[in-house]
Amino acid sequence: MMKKGDLPEILPLFPLPGALLLPRARLPLHIFEPRYLQMIEDCMKTKSRLIGMIQPIKGPEGQNHLNTIGCAGRLTGFSETEDGRYMITLSGISRYRILQEVEGFTPYIRAEVSWAGFERDLGPAEHDNGFDRDDFLDLLSKFFHAQGLDTDWQTLKDADDELLINSLGMLLPLEPEDKQALLEAPCLATRRETLVTLIEYALHGGGEERLQ
């Protein structure tokens, strides 16, 4: 487990719409753009092997910006295809806040970041004492039926609170701004409440277009 002192002040950033990484979760990624291939190679030379996942947002005139808060993942899985692409796995370590972008000669974005306020991310798995699993799974079943989705329900029933809520937040077809709201939730209970609200919104028709 990484400690606060192991976290670097500067992170390479990987902007990817809709890709949510949360602490203690794993995110598989397929890397093929040359600048991000270079980022992976540079990352593997560092002690922390951290990459900052971040959601890009569109400005009013179509220009791209970055959200302020992202989640850093440690490169824990790597393989290379015959045509030079990388298949990697990031293990979520901690959320961070961008302070400022750093100028340099890398083809990818780097930023000075702060880890303050996210100390809980480095601890053990969270528990949600107010979690009514039966009601939640009943709501989730209605959503899956409405969306024509299927899953291994026994696995969901057996999963720990954090694994269940975070995995669903990462995997469900949510809009980037919805995933950003899940990322910024201060605790697991708030993330679960946010997820329930998004599912209920979709079931009531308000998110019919957004959640397809």
Side-chain angles (χ1 to χ4, degrees), residues 145-171:
H145 178 74
Q147 296 291 317
L149 303 173
D150 197 9
T151 188
D152 182 345
W153 291 103
Q154 190 59 50
T155 298
L156 296 186
K157 291 177 182 178
D158 295 339
D160 292 339
D161 294 351
E162 185 180 72
L163 178 61
L164 175 62
I165 298 302
N166 287 354
S167 296
L168 289 170
M170 292 172 65
L171 295 173

mmCIF file of all heavy atoms in Angstrom, residues 145-171:
data_model
loop_
_atom_site.group_PDB
_atom_site.id
_atom_site.type_symbol
_atom_site.label_atom_id
_atom_site.label_comp_id
_atom_site.label_asym_id
_atom_site.label_seq_id
_atom_site.Cartn_x
_atom_site.Cartn_y
_atom_site.Cartn_z
ATOM 1 N N HIS A 145 -33.094 -4.548 -16.466
ATOM 2 C CA HIS A 145 -34.188 -5.026 -17.314
ATOM 3 C C HIS A 145 -34.571 -3.955 -18.337
ATOM 4 O O HIS A 145 -34.764 -4.263 -19.531
ATOM 5 C CB HIS A 145 -35.399 -5.389 -16.454
ATOM 6 C CG HIS A 145 -36.586 -5.841 -17.256
ATOM 7 N ND1 HIS A 145 -36.651 -7.078 -17.873
ATOM 8 C CD2 HIS A 145 -37.763 -5.205 -17.549
ATOM 9 C CE1 HIS A 145 -37.800 -7.186 -18.509
ATOM 10 N NE2 HIS A 145 -38.495 -6.067 -18.329
ATOM 11 N N ALA A 146 -34.674 -2.701 -17.909
ATOM 12 C CA ALA A 146 -35.043 -1.606 -18.802
ATOM 13 C C ALA A 146 -33.994 -1.383 -19.883
ATOM 14 O O ALA A 146 -34.316 -1.009 -21.011
ATOM 15 C CB ALA A 146 -35.255 -0.326 -18.006
ATOM 16 N N GLN A 147 -32.717 -1.638 -19.541
ATOM 17 C CA GLN A 147 -31.632 -1.410 -20.485
ATOM 18 C C GLN A 147 -31.256 -2.655 -21.293
ATOM 19 O O GLN A 147 -30.375 -2.593 -22.147
ATOM 20 C CB GLN A 147 -30.387 -0.919 -19.723
ATOM 21 C CG GLN A 147 -30.561 0.415 -19.049
ATOM 22 C CD GLN A 147 -30.669 1.559 -20.030
ATOM 23 O OE1 GLN A 147 -29.919 1.609 -21.014
ATOM 24 N NE2 GLN A 147 -31.594 2.459 -19.806
ATOM 25 N N GLY A 148 -31.928 -3.783 -21.007
ATOM 26 C CA GLY A 148 -31.598 -5.027 -21.708
ATOM 27 C C GLY A 148 -30.245 -5.578 -21.327
ATOM 28 O O GLY A 148 -29.563 -6.211 -22.142
ATOM 29 N N LEU A 149 -29.823 -5.345 -20.072
ATOM 30 C CA LEU A 149 -28.525 -5.795 -19.595
ATOM 31 C C LEU A 149 -28.682 -7.032 -18.724
ATOM 32 O O LEU A 149 -29.759 -7.313 -18.213
ATOM 33 C CB LEU A 149 -27.848 -4.682 -18.790
ATOM 34 C CG LEU A 149 -27.636 -3.349 -19.512
ATOM 35 C CD1 LEU A 149 -27.120 -2.298 -18.542
ATOM 36 C CD2 LEU A 149 -26.687 -3.505 -20.691
ATOM 37 N N ASP A 150 -27.591 -7.750 -18.550
ATOM 38 C CA ASP A 150 -27.594 -8.924 -17.681
ATOM 39 C C ASP A 150 -26.294 -8.939 -16.881
ATOM 40 O O ASP A 150 -25.308 -8.290 -17.256
ATOM 41 C CB ASP A 150 -27.721 -10.203 -18.508
ATOM 42 C CG ASP A 150 -28.148 -11.389 -17.649
ATOM 43 O OD1 ASP A 150 -28.498 -11.164 -16.462
ATOM 44 O OD2 ASP A 150 -28.118 -12.530 -18.141
ATOM 45 N N THR A 151 -26.297 -9.681 -15.804
ATOM 46 C CA THR A 151 -25.103 -9.749 -14.966
ATOM 47 C C THR A 151 -25.157 -11.003 -14.109
ATOM 48 O O THR A 151 -26.150 -11.732 -14.117
ATOM 49 C CB THR A 151 -25.004 -8.499 -14.055
ATOM 50 O OG1 THR A 151 -23.737 -8.502 -13.392
ATOM 51 C CG2 THR A 151 -26.122 -8.497 -13.019
ATOM 52 N N ASP A 152 -24.093 -11.248 -13.383
ATOM 53 C CA ASP A 152 -24.037 -12.353 -12.439
ATOM 54 C C ASP A 152 -24.542 -11.831 -11.098
ATOM 55 O O ASP A 152 -23.805 -11.230 -10.322
ATOM 56 C CB ASP A 152 -22.587 -12.857 -12.311
ATOM 57 C CG ASP A 152 -22.450 -14.053 -11.374
ATOM 58 O OD1 ASP A 152 -23.397 -14.322 -10.615
ATOM 59 O OD2 ASP A 152 -21.385 -14.696 -11.396
ATOM 60 N N TRP A 153 -25.812 -12.065 -10.819
ATOM 61 C CA TRP A 153 -26.433 -11.490 -9.632
ATOM 62 C C TRP A 153 -25.856 -12.046 -8.342
ATOM 63 O O TRP A 153 -25.780 -11.350 -7.333
ATOM 64 C CB TRP A 153 -27.944 -11.692 -9.684
ATOM 65 C CG TRP A 153 -28.570 -10.848 -10.760
ATOM 66 C CD1 TRP A 153 -29.002 -11.252 -11.980
ATOM 67 C CD2 TRP A 153 -28.779 -9.430 -10.705
ATOM 68 N NE1 TRP A 153 -29.465 -10.182 -12.705
ATOM 69 C CE2 TRP A 153 -29.350 -9.047 -11.950
ATOM 70 C CE3 TRP A 153 -28.534 -8.450 -9.742
ATOM 71 C CZ2 TRP A 153 -29.686 -7.734 -12.233
ATOM 72 C CZ3 TRP A 153 -28.869 -7.134 -10.024
ATOM 73 C CH2 TRP A 153 -29.439 -6.784 -11.263
ATOM 74 N N GLN A 154 -25.438 -13.295 -8.352
ATOM 75 C CA GLN A 154 -24.866 -13.865 -7.138
ATOM 76 C C GLN A 154 -23.569 -13.162 -6.761
ATOM 77 O O GLN A 154 -23.296 -12.913 -5.587
ATOM 78 C CB GLN A 154 -24.621 -15.365 -7.310
ATOM 79 C CG GLN A 154 -24.247 -16.084 -6.008
ATOM 80 C CD GLN A 154 -25.317 -15.940 -4.941
ATOM 81 O OE1 GLN A 154 -26.491 -16.191 -5.202
ATOM 82 N NE2 GLN A 154 -24.914 -15.541 -3.738
ATOM 83 N N THR A 155 -22.776 -12.817 -7.771
ATOM 84 C CA THR A 155 -21.541 -12.083 -7.519
ATOM 85 C C THR A 155 -21.836 -10.720 -6.915
ATOM 86 O O THR A 155 -21.148 -10.285 -5.981
ATOM 87 C CB THR A 155 -20.744 -11.917 -8.822
ATOM 88 O OG1 THR A 155 -20.375 -13.214 -9.320
ATOM 89 C CG2 THR A 155 -19.480 -11.104 -8.598
ATOM 90 N N LEU A 156 -22.880 -10.057 -7.412
ATOM 91 C CA LEU A 156 -23.256 -8.762 -6.863
ATOM 92 C C LEU A 156 -23.721 -8.896 -5.417
ATOM 93 O O LEU A 156 -23.402 -8.056 -4.570
ATOM 94 C CB LEU A 156 -24.360 -8.113 -7.710
ATOM 95 C CG LEU A 156 -24.007 -7.754 -9.158
ATOM 96 C CD1 LEU A 156 -25.155 -6.991 -9.794
ATOM 97 C CD2 LEU A 156 -22.730 -6.931 -9.231
ATOM 98 N N LYS A 157 -24.446 -9.942 -5.134
ATOM 99 C CA LYS A 157 -24.940 -10.151 -3.768
ATOM 100 C C LYS A 157 -23.794 -10.408 -2.793
ATOM 101 O O LYS A 157 -23.858 -10.014 -1.621
ATOM 102 C CB LYS A 157 -25.923 -11.323 -3.742
ATOM 103 C CG LYS A 157 -27.245 -11.051 -4.450
ATOM 104 C CD LYS A 157 -28.138 -12.285 -4.431
ATOM 105 C CE LYS A 157 -29.444 -12.020 -5.174
ATOM 106 N NZ LYS A 157 -30.325 -13.212 -5.208
ATOM 107 N N ASP A 158 -22.750 -11.062 -3.265
ATOM 108 C CA ASP A 158 -21.637 -11.443 -2.389
ATOM 109 C C ASP A 158 -20.553 -10.373 -2.278
ATOM 110 O O ASP A 158 -19.708 -10.440 -1.387
ATOM 111 C CB ASP A 158 -20.997 -12.745 -2.889
ATOM 112 C CG ASP A 158 -21.958 -13.929 -2.796
ATOM 113 O OD1 ASP A 158 -22.923 -13.853 -2.021
ATOM 114 O OD2 ASP A 158 -21.731 -14.926 -3.520
ATOM 115 N N ALA A 159 -20.550 -9.394 -3.200
ATOM 116 C CA ALA A 159 -19.471 -8.404 -3.245
ATOM 117 C C ALA A 159 -19.499 -7.487 -2.022
ATOM 118 O O ALA A 159 -20.563 -7.152 -1.500
ATOM 119 C CB ALA A 159 -19.582 -7.571 -4.521
ATOM 120 N N ASP A 160 -18.320 -7.067 -1.563
ATOM 121 C CA ASP A 160 -18.229 -6.076 -0.499
ATOM 122 C C ASP A 160 -18.874 -4.767 -0.955
ATOM 123 O O ASP A 160 -18.960 -4.481 -2.152
ATOM 124 C CB ASP A 160 -16.769 -5.820 -0.127
ATOM 125 C CG ASP A 160 -16.129 -7.022 0.553
ATOM 126 O OD1 ASP A 160 -16.880 -7.856 1.088
ATOM 127 O OD2 ASP A 160 -14.886 -7.119 0.532
ATOM 128 N N ASP A 161 -19.275 -3.947 0.017
ATOM 129 C CA ASP A 161 -19.965 -2.696 -0.304
ATOM 130 C C ASP A 161 -19.186 -1.851 -1.306
ATOM 131 O O ASP A 161 -19.716 -1.410 -2.331
ATOM 132 C CB ASP A 161 -20.186 -1.866 0.973
ATOM 133 C CG ASP A 161 -21.144 -2.517 1.939
ATOM 134 O OD1 ASP A 161 -21.770 -3.525 1.574
ATOM 135 O OD2 ASP A 161 -21.267 -2.005 3.075
ATOM 136 N N GLU A 162 -17.923 -1.594 -0.988
ATOM 137 C CA GLU A 162 -17.124 -0.713 -1.838
ATOM 138 C C GLU A 162 -16.930 -1.292 -3.228
ATOM 139 O O GLU A 162 -17.071 -0.588 -4.234
ATOM 140 C CB GLU A 162 -15.765 -0.434 -1.189
ATOM 141 C CG GLU A 162 -14.940 0.569 -1.983
ATOM 142 C CD GLU A 162 -13.586 0.853 -1.359
ATOM 143 O OE1 GLU A 162 -12.712 -0.029 -1.415
ATOM 144 O OE2 GLU A 162 -13.417 1.956 -0.800
ATOM 145 N N LEU A 163 -16.616 -2.572 -3.312
ATOM 146 C CA LEU A 163 -16.406 -3.202 -4.608
ATOM 147 C C LEU A 163 -17.667 -3.128 -5.449
ATOM 148 O O LEU A 163 -17.613 -2.838 -6.653
ATOM 149 C CB LEU A 163 -15.978 -4.662 -4.414
ATOM 150 C CG LEU A 163 -15.777 -5.473 -5.692
ATOM 151 C CD1 LEU A 163 -14.684 -4.868 -6.556
ATOM 152 C CD2 LEU A 163 -15.451 -6.927 -5.355
ATOM 153 N N LEU A 164 -18.814 -3.360 -4.835
ATOM 154 C CA LEU A 164 -20.079 -3.330 -5.569
ATOM 155 C C LEU A 164 -20.386 -1.935 -6.094
ATOM 156 O O LEU A 164 -20.624 -1.758 -7.301
ATOM 157 C CB LEU A 164 -21.205 -3.810 -4.648
ATOM 158 C CG LEU A 164 -22.628 -3.726 -5.221
ATOM 159 C CD1 LEU A 164 -22.760 -4.598 -6.454
ATOM 160 C CD2 LEU A 164 -23.654 -4.122 -4.168
ATOM 161 N N ILE A 165 -20.374 -0.945 -5.212
ATOM 162 C CA ILE A 165 -20.738 0.415 -5.612
ATOM 163 C C ILE A 165 -19.742 0.983 -6.615
ATOM 164 O O ILE A 165 -20.125 1.555 -7.649
ATOM 165 C CB ILE A 165 -20.827 1.332 -4.380
ATOM 166 C CG1 ILE A 165 -21.915 0.842 -3.419
ATOM 167 C CG2 ILE A 165 -21.097 2.778 -4.797
ATOM 168 C CD1 ILE A 165 -23.293 0.761 -4.015
ATOM 169 N N ASN A 166 -18.447 0.824 -6.344
ATOM 170 C CA ASN A 166 -17.441 1.397 -7.234
ATOM 171 C C ASN A 166 -17.416 0.706 -8.595
ATOM 172 O O ASN A 166 -17.262 1.352 -9.630
ATOM 173 C CB ASN A 166 -16.067 1.325 -6.582
ATOM 174 C CG ASN A 166 -15.915 2.339 -5.459
ATOM 175 O OD1 ASN A 166 -16.795 3.168 -5.230
ATOM 176 N ND2 ASN A 166 -14.804 2.279 -4.748
ATOM 177 N N SER A 167 -17.571 -0.605 -8.613
ATOM 178 C CA SER A 167 -17.569 -1.334 -9.889
ATOM 179 C C SER A 167 -18.745 -0.911 -10.757
ATOM 180 O O SER A 167 -18.593 -0.715 -11.971
ATOM 181 C CB SER A 167 -17.616 -2.842 -9.638
ATOM 182 O OG SER A 167 -16.454 -3.284 -8.970
ATOM 183 N N LEU A 168 -19.911 -0.761 -10.146
ATOM 184 C CA LEU A 168 -21.079 -0.324 -10.911
ATOM 185 C C LEU A 168 -20.889 1.099 -11.421
ATOM 186 O O LEU A 168 -21.234 1.416 -12.573
ATOM 187 C CB LEU A 168 -22.338 -0.415 -10.050
ATOM 188 C CG LEU A 168 -22.830 -1.833 -9.753
ATOM 189 C CD1 LEU A 168 -23.934 -1.801 -8.707
ATOM 190 C CD2 LEU A 168 -23.331 -2.523 -11.024
ATOM 191 N N GLY A 169 -20.328 1.965 -10.590
ATOM 192 C CA GLY A 169 -20.073 3.327 -11.027
ATOM 193 C C GLY A 169 -19.131 3.388 -12.217
ATOM 194 O O GLY A 169 -19.284 4.215 -13.115
ATOM 195 N N MET A 170 -18.158 2.496 -12.250
ATOM 196 C CA MET A 170 -17.188 2.468 -13.341
ATOM 197 C C MET A 170 -17.760 1.831 -14.600
ATOM 198 O O MET A 170 -17.412 2.218 -15.715
ATOM 199 C CB MET A 170 -15.936 1.711 -12.892
ATOM 200 C CG MET A 170 -15.136 2.430 -11.811
ATOM 201 S SD MET A 170 -13.784 1.438 -11.108
ATOM 202 C CE MET A 170 -12.714 1.246 -12.543
ATOM 203 N N LEU A 171 -18.645 0.823 -14.438
ATOM 204 C CA LEU A 171 -19.073 0.012 -15.577
ATOM 205 C C LEU A 171 -20.399 0.436 -16.208
ATOM 206 O O LEU A 171 -20.618 0.202 -17.397
ATOM 207 C CB LEU A 171 -19.172 -1.461 -15.153
ATOM 208 C CG LEU A 171 -17.849 -2.122 -14.754
ATOM 209 C CD1 LEU A 171 -18.108 -3.519 -14.189
ATOM 210 C CD2 LEU A 171 -16.911 -2.201 -15.952
#
